[in-house]
């Protein structure tokens, strides 16, 4: 299936474009998507979303189309063909 | 030598009587620092004890306190800050504002934990603390100068660039109710504390010192620092995002969630926001990254406008809040104007959040016909007019004409003058305007805004838990306790004083071990996590009692009509609103968790006694 990844700031810098089309296996989940991004973009991607001491994905939101999901509890969510996945930036502060 | 058991402190505060030009030392005691730590906690206690209730914030009877906490001047990461404290001319209650940079550390190296300014001078003065020597100098020749020029002039006069200065601009002198104080390029921004200095005729405070801050065990301290710096370097927020984009990264983040205030919060989704984004700013303006004292996060940006009318204007920033208030709230996405506006706010000495939100309020009043060319001195005030931002900042900072004077009073008082229902969209609580984080899109944060002792501050509560999905943002359940615990994290860090922004390390949902270990390592206090939480709760209740004594009750813990009656119109958060019923429900939860009277919002006798605030029970009973 085909999805589109939307991103900004550091993640956009790593992926190289604001909207990135990606081919995933049917019924792939958010975890599968992040595993794929990790293997394709390596440490550069990893440093933007994983704590480098614990190795854990840090808390941030992900939009699938316009619906909000949380990295803390929703990573098993399956994706569907045509989904637009917006990766929010894991920024605390502000 | 001081008589404190605890390290981290110098042990004394300089008390300056401006009326007769004398000064003395105020010694810290073990009991004071155990109960109130420093910074906001200690200042609240001093001001509660020393100010009469009902005192006019702009009278000589008010006091302004510069204060550090135990960690300032050490290498604890993000311990860059200094706080300024007084009764605020905007909110009429205790207010604290802190700034990063180097002033706080230098004040301690100069020999004092803080400075209490009381009374008022007849003529302009500045205070100079040089290696523990105190001088009150004539500042008549500096009166009227902007906050940047005055620092240059003083460096010349005092013969060194190494002197750190906190100064007011013309707005402070003109008693603009949201005048700020500028330290280097950083602002003690909110609450109008620059006007308090102006009312005392204090143009500036300068400090220089080569002292040091003692800690109990340097070896243990080094181990802790290694661990903390490793955590800063491992966390994506502090190691990657802050250094690259700083707070402006939130423009796209908040707008993508549909939580970016636009046109005076008439909406929270701005289709043209990319022009204001951190990404655009990085390309268009940023020349280098900067850091505060002892902070690895380097979230500050040094920017220069490259072309156009404001070409050459350089500024530390703009920060997310400036972009929100001077840009999106006023309906335009001209980042050069935002940068120049922020610089002008600093120079003239006004809080950029208050300035932008005041302009947005006036624009909406004008578009709705509630004010006309007569009140605006002929200016056609419309959203999107980026050409008006700089002239209006000048006008309010100098109190020029009808419009300048109206805006200089802040949104709450301006809406009282305009009347005609304008309070519905006067985007303030308790006199302080809302910064750029959504209330409607984050119920727990809305509760934090409503109950904030400073009014609509984004540093009494925090948006982070809901914005990053640590807790659900589409529910009001559990938000009472959620908000109270974040209050405690914030007030403890504001008393130590460390910057809130690396909150992934400090919290972000409650006080964590990382905070307590810093406090213990610097002071030798040996507090447990529970004891630290109790201390924070004591300080929070102390500050609540200050507000209560000034007349604040449950009915003041509220939100503007717009946030309670107008759902967000477009974007991913469309339909979200905090109705009165939702707010009431959360207030009940919040007061219940706090042990406050649900009818009035006043801390109960039992709660005050439990927290060791027995001496306030009489005040609470006599209301
Ligand atoms: S996080 Fe940013 S604002 Fe806070 S101390 Fe560090 S550099 Fe300064």
């Amino acid at each position: 299936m085909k999805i589109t990844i939307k991103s900004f700031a550091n993640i956009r810098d790593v992926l190289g474009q604001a909207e990135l089309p990606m081919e995933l296996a049917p019924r792939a989940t958010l975890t599968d998507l992040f595993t794929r991004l990790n293997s394709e973009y390596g440490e550069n991607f990893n440093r933007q979303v994983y704590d480098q001491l614990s190795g854990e994905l840090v808390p941030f939101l992900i939009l699938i189309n316009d619906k909000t999901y949380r990295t803390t509890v929703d990573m098993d969510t399956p994706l569907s063909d045509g989904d637009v996945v917006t990766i929010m930036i894991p920024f605390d502060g502000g | 030598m001081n008589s404190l058991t605890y390290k981290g402190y110098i042990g004394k505060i300089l008390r300056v009587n401006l009326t007769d030009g004398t000064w003395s030392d105020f010694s810290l005691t073990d009991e004071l620092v155990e109960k109130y730590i420093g910074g906001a906690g200690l200042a609240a206690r001093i001001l509660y004890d020393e100010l009469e209730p009902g005192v006019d914030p702009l009278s000589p009877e008010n006091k302004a306190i510069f204060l550090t906490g135990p960690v300032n001047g050490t290498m604890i990461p993000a311990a860059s800050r200094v706080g300024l404290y007084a009764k605020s001319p905007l909110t009429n209650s205790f207010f604290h504002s802190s700034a990063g940079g180097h002033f706080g550390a230098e004040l301690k190296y100069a020999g004092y934990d803080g400075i209490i300014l009381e009374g008022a001078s007849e003529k302009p003065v500045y205070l100079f603390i040089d290696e523990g020597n105190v001088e009150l100098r004539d500042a008549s020749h500096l009166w009227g100068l902007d906050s940047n020029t005055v620092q240059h002039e003083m460096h010349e006069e005092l013969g060194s660039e190494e002197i750190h200065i906190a100064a007011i601009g013309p707005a402070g002198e003109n008693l603009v109710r949201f005048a700020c104080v500028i330290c280097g390029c950083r602002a003690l921004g909110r609450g109008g504390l620059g006007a308090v200095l102006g009312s005392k005729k204090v143009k500036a405070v300068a400090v220089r010192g080569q002292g040091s801050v003692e800690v109990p065990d340097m070896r243990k301290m080094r181990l802790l620092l290694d661990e903390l710096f490793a955590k800063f370097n491992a966390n994506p927020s502090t190691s990657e995002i802050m250094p690259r984009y700083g707070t402006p990264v939130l423009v796209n983040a908040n707008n993508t969630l549909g939580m970016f205030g636009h046109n005076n919060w008439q909406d929270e989704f701005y289709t043209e926001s990319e022009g204001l984004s951190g990404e655009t700013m990085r390309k268009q303006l940023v020349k280098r990254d900067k850091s505060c004292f002892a902070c690895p996060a380097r979230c500050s940006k040094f920017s220069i406008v490259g072309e156009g009318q404001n070409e050459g204007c350089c500024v530390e920033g703009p920060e997310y809040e400036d972009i929100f208030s001077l840009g999106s709230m006023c309906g335009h996405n001209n980042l050069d104007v935002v940068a120049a506006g922020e610089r002008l706010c600093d120079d003239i000495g006004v809080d950029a959040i208050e300035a932008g939100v005041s302009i947005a309020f006036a624009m909406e009043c004008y578009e709705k016909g509630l004010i006309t060319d007569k009140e605006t001195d002929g200016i056609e005030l419309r959203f999107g007019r980026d050409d008006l931002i700089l002239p209006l900042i000048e006008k309010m900072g100098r109190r020029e004409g009808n419009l300048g004077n109206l805006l200089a009073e802040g949104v709450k008082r301006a809406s009282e003058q305009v009347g005609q229902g304008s309070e519905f969209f006067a985007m303030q609580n308790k006199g302080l305007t809302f910064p750029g984080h959504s209330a409607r899109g984050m119920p727990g944060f809305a509760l934090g805004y409503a109950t904030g002792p400073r009014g609509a501050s984004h540093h009494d509560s925090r948006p982070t838990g809901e914005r990053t999905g640590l807790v659900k943002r589409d529910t009001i359940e559990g938000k009472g306790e959620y908000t109270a615990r974040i209050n405690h994290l914030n007030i403890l860090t504001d008393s130590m004083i460390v910057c809130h922004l690396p909150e992934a390390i400090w919290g972000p949902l409650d006080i964590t071990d990382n905070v307590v270990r810093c406090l213990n390592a610097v002071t030798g206090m040996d507090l447990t996590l529970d004891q630290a939480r109790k201390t924070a709760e004591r300080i929070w209740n102390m500050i609540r009692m200050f507000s209560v004594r000034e007349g604040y009750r449950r009915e003041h813990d509220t939100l503007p009509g717009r946030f309670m009656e107008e759902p967000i119109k477009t974007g991913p958060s469309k339909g979200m609103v905090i109705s009165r019923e939702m707010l009431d429900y959360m207030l009940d939860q919040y007061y219940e968790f706090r042990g406050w009277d649900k009818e009035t919002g006043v801390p109960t006798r039992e709660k005050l006694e439990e927290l060791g605030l027995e001496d306030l029970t009489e005040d609470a009973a006599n209301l």
Side-chain angles (χ1 to χ4, degrees):
Chain A
M1 66 178 176
K2 218 180 196 156
I3 64 158
T4 305
I5 301 168
K6 276 194 185 176
S7 62
F8 41 89
N10 298 53
I11 299 176
R12 187 194 286 180
D13 295 344
V14 173
L15 302 187
Q17 48 196 307
E19 298 195 12
L20 179 73
M22 185 167 266
E23 196 71 45
L24 288 176
R27 288 187 302 284
T29 62
L30 283 173
T31 298
D32 298 328
L33 169 62
F34 274 73
T35 309
R36 169 79 176 277
L37 290 170
N38 238 332
S39 67
E40 250 177 60
Y41 295 91
E43 200 200 330
N44 266 352
F45 178 76
N46 191 284
R47 287 196 62 84
Q48 313 307 324
V49 290
Y50 292 89
D51 186 281
Q52 299 298 298
L53 287 175
S54 69
E56 282 172 18
L57 195 60
V58 294
F60 58 94
L61 296 178
I62 297 169
L63 300 182
I64 303 179
N65 306 319
D66 256 356
K67 199 160 179 272
T68 307
Y69 295 84
R70 303 190 282 155
T71 57
T72 44
V73 287
D74 296 325
M75 292 305 285
D76 291 338
T77 306
L79 298 168
S80 307
D81 190 43
D83 276 350
V84 177
V85 179
T86 308
I87 304 176
M88 303 296 296
I89 203 83
F91 183 76
D92 298 305
Chain B
M1 263 319 267
N2 68 59
S3 58
L4 283 179
T5 306
Y6 302 110
K7 306 294 182 198
Y9 302 91
I10 304 303
K12 60 182 181 176
I13 298 175
L14 178 69
R15 184 191 286 279
V16 180
N17 183 327
L18 295 157
T19 308
D20 62 18
T22 60
W23 51 85
S24 58
D25 286 350
F26 171 110
S27 296
L28 296 183
T29 63
D30 281 355
E31 191 194 345
L32 265 180
V33 302
E34 280 164 4
K35 288 182 90 167
Y36 306 103
I37 307 294
L42 185 54
R45 181 74 239 192
I46 295 171
L47 289 173
Y48 190 96
D49 290 343
E50 298 192 5
L51 295 189
E52 286 295 323
V55 70
D56 176 355
L58 297 178
S59 72
E61 286 71 42
N62 195 6
K63 302 189 183 195
I65 305 181
F66 284 91
L67 201 55
T68 56
V71 302
N72 304 119
T74 73
M75 288 303 289
I76 295 286
S80 58
R81 302 189 86 78
V82 63
L84 179 57
Y85 312 88
K87 183 173 173 183
S88 156
L90 267 184
T91 67
N92 270 328
S93 193
F94 173 72
F95 206 96
H96 53 113
S97 189
S98 72
H102 299 256
F103 186 93
E106 195 76 10
L107 173 59
K108 284 174 86 168
Y109 301 158
Y112 288 97
D113 291 299
I115 304 160
I116 302 174
L117 297 168
E118 54 190 37
S121 171
E122 257 176 36
K123 59 179 179 43
V125 289
Y126 73 85
L127 181 73
F128 182 32
I129 307 178
D130 190 13
E131 298 285 5
N133 298 312
V134 180
E135 260 185 279
L136 209 46
R137 293 188 172 198
D138 180 42
S140 304
H141 57 300
L142 303 172
W143 204 246
L145 295 182
D146 70 66
S147 70
N148 183 43
T149 309
V150 74
Q151 294 186 63
H152 286 303
E153 294 283 322
M154 286 174 67
H155 283 145
E156 285 269 306
E157 183 169 318
L158 298 170
S160 169
E161 296 270 323
E162 303 296 305
I163 293 166
H164 292 270
I165 297 169
I168 60 169
E173 300 169 12
N174 295 331
L175 308 184
V176 173
R177 282 187 187 269
F178 47 93
C180 67
V181 178
I182 299 293
C183 302
C185 299
R186 292 245 155 198
L188 291 151
R190 306 219 71 193
L193 305 186
V196 177
L197 291 198
S199 73
K200 298 186 176 309
K201 290 272 194 306
V202 174
K203 181 68 181 172
V205 174
V207 292
R208 174 169 60 184
Q210 287 184 26
S212 57
V213 177
E214 225 186 308
V215 296
D217 184 334
M218 202 54 204
R219 196 189 58 86
K220 270 197 200 156
M221 177 86 173
R222 278 209 193 96
L223 288 175
L224 175 66
L225 289 176
D226 285 348
E227 190 187 319
L228 284 172
F229 277 87
K231 284 181 175 163
F232 269 73
N233 286 332
N235 180 272
S237 184
T238 45
S239 71
E240 297 288 332
I241 301 160
M242 280 188 188
R244 180 140 182 89
Y245 291 107
T247 58
V249 79
L250 283 172
V251 171
N252 270 342
N254 282 344
N255 199 55
T256 303
L257 292 169
M259 302 199 301
F260 186 44
H262 180 52
N263 286 0
N264 200 33
W265 292 103
Q266 292 184 78
D267 212 339
E268 302 201 23
F269 187 63
Y270 183 22
T271 48
E272 307 295 318
S273 74
E274 187 62 43
L276 291 171
S277 70
E279 294 85 327
T280 304
M281 177 171 140
R282 181 103 205 157
K283 272 193 232 118
Q284 188 174 315
L285 293 176
V286 175
K287 296 298 167 225
R288 66 188 159 90
D289 306 319
K290 281 191 76 180
S291 201
C292 301
F293 181 88
C295 186
R298 303 193 313 283
C299 82
S300 262
K301 305 294 155 222
F302 178 74
S303 300
I304 301 179
V305 178
E307 55 186 32
Q309 270 192 329
N310 301 299
E311 185 180 342
C313 171
C314 53
V315 64
E316 189 166 329
E319 298 290 342
Y320 169 72
E321 296 300 345
D322 310 314
I323 297 172
F324 149 79
S325 63
L326 299 170
S328 181
M329 279 290 271
C330 298
H332 73 90
N333 69 351
N334 187 335
L335 202 48
D336 289 348
V337 166
V338 170
E342 207 254 290
R343 173 62 195 264
L344 182 57
C345 283
D346 285 358
D347 284 354
I348 209 152
V350 291
D351 171 19
I353 299 177
E354 214 72 34
V357 178
S358 301
I359 295 170
F361 169 75
M363 285 173 163
E364 188 166 352
C365 285
Y366 187 85
E367 288 198 349
K368 288 193 154 76
L370 307 185
I371 55 173
T372 63
D373 289 352
K374 185 168 157 262
E375 287 85 13
T376 67
D377 308 310
I379 299 171
E380 206 179 312
L381 273 174
R382 297 203 179 274
F383 287 108
R385 284 203 55 185
D386 58 7
D387 59 314
L388 293 181
I389 305 300
L390 272 66
L392 289 178
I393 295 168
E394 280 280 352
K395 275 184 180 295
M396 62 177 85
R398 299 190 187 280
R399 284 188 174 271
E400 276 171 15
N402 293 334
L403 187 57
N405 267 302
L406 181 74
L407 297 180
E409 289 297 294
V411 166
K412 177 172 184 279
R413 287 168 181 81
S415 79
E416 284 162 5
Q417 283 186 45
V418 172
Q420 307 170 78
S422 62
E423 64 279 3
F424 180 82
F425 58 83
M427 304 313 289
Q428 58 81 30
N429 174 34
K430 302 186 180 102
L432 194 76
T433 54
F434 284 79
H437 304 272
S438 177
R440 288 177 290 202
M442 295 181 283
F445 193 51
L447 175 66
Y449 275 140
T451 53
R454 288 181 284 189
S457 165
H458 58 303
H459 284 281
D460 283 339
S461 183
R462 298 286 298 140
T464 310
E466 288 170 311
R467 193 185 64 216
T468 61
L470 270 165
V471 298
K472 285 176 79 150
R473 77 176 177 102
D474 56 358
T475 179
I476 57 175
E477 289 305 329
K479 294 295 166 74
E481 178 174 345
Y482 162 82
T483 298
R485 288 188 182 278
I486 296 172
N487 291 157
H488 294 167
L489 169 64
N490 289 338
I491 203 62
L492 187 65
T493 46
D494 280 339
S495 301
M496 290 166 62
I497 311 168
V498 289
C499 175
H500 289 173
L501 300 199
E503 56 199 322
I505 313 292
W506 306 137
L509 299 184
D510 202 344
I511 296 166
T512 62
D513 232 20
N514 284 341
V515 178
V516 184
R517 288 167 67 215
C518 288
L519 185 54
N520 286 340
V522 168
T523 60
M525 276 185 187
D526 208 20
L527 289 177
T528 63
L529 194 52
D530 278 350
Q531 286 168 329
R533 288 177 177 157
K534 194 56 88 187
T535 303
E537 190 183 3
R538 177 184 308 116
I539 296 169
W540 195 264
N541 276 264
M542 169 87 245
I543 293 172
R544 179 68 173 188
M545 280 304 298
F546 194 112
S547 299
V548 161
R549 203 173 60 163
E550 296 293 338
Y552 284 103
R553 296 290 184 279
R554 179 177 176 132
E555 62 266 30
H556 302 103
D557 289 344
T558 190
L559 298 169
R562 167 158 289 156
F563 284 160
M564 296 195 285
E565 293 173 30
E566 266 184 26
I568 297 175
K569 290 191 187 109
T570 58
S573 296
K574 184 178 170 185
M576 289 186 84
V577 71
I578 306 293
S579 68
R580 277 174 217 281
E581 294 71 33
M582 290 164 78
L583 181 61
D584 268 334
Y585 181 83
M586 291 192 290
L587 280 174
D588 282 346
Q589 287 184 349
Y590 181 79
Y591 295 148
E592 203 168 291
F593 179 76
R594 289 210 161 286
W596 293 355
D597 182 85
K598 276 209 228 171
E599 294 285 301
T600 61
V602 176
T604 58
R605 166 182 279 272
E606 297 72 43
K607 179 48 77 178
L608 293 175
E609 284 174 354
E610 176 199 318
L611 295 171
L613 295 171
E614 295 82 358
D615 60 315
L616 305 192
T617 54
E618 208 173 306
D619 286 352
N622 290 338
L623 295 166

